[in-house]
Amino acid sequence: MNDLKQARSNLTEPEEFHRELFENSPTALYIQDFSGVQDRVNALLAQGVKDLKTHLETHEEETLNLVNAVKIVQINRATARMYKVDDASSFDFEFKKLIKSDDMQHFIDQVLTFTNGALEYKGEARN
């Protein structure tokens, strides 16, 4: 029975550590769901778009559609403070409200990174 208890502890401790690290970071962090973006990108590719980068850079309305497809899943306390939200669980911003128009190239780079199979993207955007 002790082995089972230790095994459960070994599984939950890293999760708790990462949750605490995320929540208590002094840096504003938020987790995004890009699955809607991937669906739209797949549709564009199925429609015959060959050069996604050029297509997004020359079709602003399509890039905005992708921005609208991003969902914010979770924010930390620092993000809540930055946006003057009392409780992180009450955060109801849409991603499109976070991205500035002159950050679209950053967003396009992020989309291209995920489209090429990466599981994460590291970059900076102005908020």
Side-chain angles (χ1 to χ4, degrees):
M1 192 63 134
N2 232 0
D3 290 341
L4 181 58
K5 186 176 180 180
Q6 183 61 45
R8 285 186 180 146
S9 177
N10 289 344
L11 289 174
T12 58
E13 284 176 7
E15 182 180 318
E16 289 171 13
F17 171 78
H18 285 98
R19 184 176 29 254
E20 288 296 315
L21 184 64
F22 177 82
E23 282 298 321
N24 296 317
S25 172
T27 302
L29 303 170
Y30 51 93
I31 298 172
Q32 305 165 352
D33 175 359
F34 264 69
S35 59
V37 172
Q38 186 63 52
D39 293 342
R40 183 63 196 142
V41 165
N42 289 342
L44 289 171
L45 297 175
Q47 293 168 10
V49 172
K50 300 285 187 224
D51 183 351
L52 186 60
K53 182 179 191 312
T54 299
H55 181 80
L56 294 177
E57 289 174 346
T58 58
H59 293 83
E60 183 179 340
E61 73 286 351
E62 190 60 61
T63 303
L64 292 174
N65 287 337
L66 294 179
V67 167
N68 289 329
V70 177
K71 303 291 183 229
I72 296 176
V73 177
Q74 185 179 4
I75 67 167
N76 70 350
R77 291 180 185 121
T79 303
R81 281 191 302 274
M82 184 169 73
Y83 289 105
K84 297 177 176 65
V85 177
D86 293 330
D87 178 12
S89 65
S90 68
F91 187 77
D92 194 23
F93 265 28
E94 296 171 334
F95 180 73
K96 67 183 176 186
K97 293 179 182 176
L98 298 178
I99 191 165
K100 305 295 182 205
S101 61
D102 52 351
D103 279 336
M104 284 301 172
Q105 187 60 53
H106 165 75
F107 176 75
I108 290 170
D109 293 342
Q110 193 175 16
V111 169
L112 295 172
T113 298
F114 290 138
T115 300
N116 290 326
L119 298 177
E120 66 180 56
Y121 173 82
K122 294 181 183 178
E124 292 184 26
R126 289 164 286 152
N127 292 340

